[in-house]
Amino acid sequence: MADSNFIDYVKILCRSGKGGAGSRHFYRAKYVPKGGPDGGDGGRGGHIILKGNRNMWTLLPLKYRRHIFAGNGQSGSGGRSFGKDGEDVIVDVPCGTVVFDAESGEYLCEVTDDGQEVKLLKGGRGGLGNWHFKSSTNRTPRYAQPGEPSVERSIILELKMLADVGLVGFPNAGKSTLLSAVSAAEPKIADYPFTTMEPQLGIVAYRDNRSFVMADIPGIIEGASEGKGLGLRFLRHIERNAVLLFMVPADADDIAKEYEILLNEVSRFNPQLVDKPRVLAISKSDMLDDELRAEIEPTLPEGIEHVFISSVTGYGIIELKDMLWKAINDENNKIESDIVHRPLDGQHRVREEDEFIITYEPSPEEEEQEAEDLQSISPDAWGEDIDWDDAEYEEYDDSEEEK
């Protein structure tokens, strides 16, 4: 996968902006010796926002952008001048991106629609200026609030391709051949295992100018759920599929046994996948005659619709499309209501990404700015008697100070 542009798993470090400090300024004018406090509030820190982009199909841009930092809010100033808000950072991601916490593996959010925006990390609120804390007993408050600190988090972005039908089968089961026969996709086809090294999508034409999307993933072998082969790396892409199309070649020694192995690997990867509708296609059926098909029929697994197909001759393709279209449009089988994202545990992680070091050392300029912010405020501003949400805002009357 080192030479491939298809990246579906990446680890990055995000940090929202910190809020600006409030000002401790006092109004001064030639004939107003006691103008009173007029320190403005600090600006809020910038947010980290994820935005769906239908023109993206890979997380490759983020693989070379490991640190995403939003802008910090500016400090307030005199005259009740508020500080400027920090600049938000909008990160474009492909539709179907799921976000997990890199440390705990907890599911955070997902982006499924084009233009959809999800606020991943919220910027810190700006500190209140000293004019908020004046009262009849404290006419000259010499303190202000610091801004809220930034939020730093290591996250993992996992791309799960959006498709209606997902192909599941052993290597050389004819998945890529079927995709090339029913769509305009051009996957690599050869007579050796693991020809498909990355997921492929194809739009399948149906009757009355209708269509649906079919996804092909690398072949699954026994033990894929434990990390063998390439199947585990790409099984995540069938979690969003409405229908799973299991493909077993007609020349297999035991079709039912191979189907059970595939189903077991899928269920061990994510138990919720077992609840998805399934269709069994016996590929390479052009090698069979009517008598052999009649002999194979009783040995097929029960409780699943099946069809004999041949991608080369086109045998059974129309019948297969009818089965898939019926399953896709079933009211009880909608993608939005069927997805349950499993936690990102050790079994579903990519080792090279988890071990990637993304720590960030602040520059001398950033350390100096942070020290200045701490010196410009009083620790008393964080007392228990000050509430961010319930702070009392009293109108300042210049006539009282003049008196």
Side-chain angles (χ1 to χ4, degrees):
M1 295 301 297
D3 298 331
S4 174
N5 288 331
F6 182 78
I7 303 298
D8 58 355
Y9 187 102
V10 67
K11 178 182 178 182
I12 60 176
L13 177 66
C14 295
R15 186 174 68 192
S16 62
K18 61 181 179 181
S23 174
R24 297 184 300 170
H25 190 271
F26 290 89
Y27 179 72
R28 291 291 182 267
K30 185 175 182 180
Y31 298 108
V32 186
K34 297 181 179 180
D38 67 344
D41 301 344
R44 69 158 178 84
H47 305 312
I48 301 292
I49 301 173
L50 299 181
K51 183 177 181 180
N53 187 342
R54 64 182 179 183
N55 296 319
M56 294 181 64
W57 61 280
T58 175
L59 295 172
L60 180 64
L62 295 177
K63 187 176 180 65
Y64 302 100
R65 188 186 176 189
R66 297 289 187 169
H67 301 108
I68 300 179
F69 298 155
N72 296 326
Q74 295 183 357
S75 301
S77 57
R80 297 188 185 179
S81 298
F82 290 4
K84 182 181 179 181
D85 291 341
E87 184 178 358
D88 297 336
V89 176
I90 299 179
V91 183
D92 288 337
V93 295
C95 297
T97 301
V98 185
V99 185
F100 297 91
D101 183 88
E103 302 298 331
S104 63
E106 176 190 4
Y107 164 76
L108 300 178
C109 61
E110 64 178 332
V111 180
T112 56
D113 301 323
D114 180 52
Q116 177 187 358
E117 294 187 354
V118 177
K119 188 182 295 182
L120 181 61
L121 295 181
K122 186 178 180 181
R125 286 176 291 184
L128 300 179
N130 62 346
W131 73 278
H132 288 286
F133 307 110
K134 62 181 178 59
S135 64
S136 58
T137 58
N138 185 11
R139 296 295 185 91
T140 57
R142 302 184 183 276
Y143 54 81
Q145 282 185 332
E148 280 190 331
S150 59
V151 179
E152 185 173 289
R153 198 170 201 173
S154 296
I155 62 171
I156 288 177
L157 300 179
E158 189 179 71
L159 176 60
K160 299 181 180 179
M161 297 173 63
L162 299 173
D164 300 305
V165 179
L167 299 178
V168 182
F170 285 96
N172 293 114
K175 302 187 300 299
S176 298
T177 306
L178 174 64
L179 185 64
S180 64
V182 299
S183 70
E186 298 179 354
K188 185 177 180 180
I189 301 174
D191 58 353
Y192 55 85
F194 298 113
T195 307
T196 301
M197 298 295 292
E198 60 187 41
Q200 301 286 336
L201 286 178
I203 300 178
V204 181
Y206 192 60
R207 298 188 179 96
D208 301 328
N209 294 324
R210 294 174 293 182
S211 62
F212 57 88
V213 181
M214 181 178 290
D216 177 25
I217 65 172
I220 299 174
I221 63 175
E222 188 171 4
S225 59
E226 299 174 358
K228 296 181 181 180
L230 297 175
L232 176 64
R233 176 74 181 269
F234 300 106
L235 276 172
R236 65 174 67 95
H237 295 291
I238 65 176
E239 288 186 298
R240 290 191 183 278
N241 302 152
V243 182
L244 300 182
L245 176 58
F246 287 79
M247 294 189 63
V248 180
D251 57 354
D253 296 334
D254 190 339
I255 296 178
K257 182 179 179 180
E258 291 200 4
Y259 167 75
E260 292 298 332
I261 293 175
L262 293 172
L263 183 60
N264 179 60
E265 295 299 328
V266 169
S267 62
R268 292 180 65 181
F269 178 79
N270 188 349
Q272 284 81 17
L273 294 177
V274 182
D275 300 330
K276 290 181 178 290
R278 303 186 296 273
V279 176
L280 175 61
I282 295 87
S283 61
K284 305 179 183 179
S285 295
D286 52 311
M287 301 184 298
L288 306 177
D289 54 19
D290 295 339
E291 184 178 349
L292 289 175
R293 293 193 191 97
E295 293 179 2
I296 294 177
E297 282 277 359
T299 64
L300 297 178
E302 299 180 356
I304 178 175
E305 289 187 293
H306 63 271
V307 58
F308 290 89
I309 65 170
S310 173
S311 302
V312 177
T313 64
Y315 175 79
I317 297 298
I318 299 300
E319 184 180 357
L320 174 63
K321 289 183 179 181
D322 292 338
M323 287 184 179
L324 296 176
W325 184 260
K326 179 181 178 182
I328 292 172
N329 291 275
D330 189 348
E331 290 297 330
N332 298 322
N333 181 32
K334 296 299 182 183
I335 294 180
E336 292 80 7
S337 61
D338 200 25
I339 294 179
V340 178
H341 297 288
R342 69 324 182 239
L344 191 64
D345 54 24
Q347 184 181 3
H348 302 95
R349 291 178 179 264
V350 178
R351 180 178 301 176
E352 57 267 27
E353 285 294 321
D354 284 347
E355 295 177 353
F356 188 85
I357 300 175
I358 57 175
T359 56
Y360 178 79
E361 296 294 336
S363 63
E365 293 77 9
E366 292 176 334
E367 293 180 347
E368 183 179 354
Q369 181 63 39
E370 184 176 358
E372 292 179 358
D373 292 342
L374 293 176
Q375 293 177 0
S376 65
I377 55 177
S378 169
D380 297 337
W382 288 105
E384 296 181 356
D385 58 329
I386 299 176
D387 193 319
W388 282 87
D389 298 322
D390 300 328
E392 297 182 359
Y393 298 91
E394 300 179 1
E395 292 296 333
Y396 179 69
D397 188 0
D398 291 336
S399 61
E400 293 184 3
E401 291 293 339
E402 293 175 359
K403 293 177 184 179

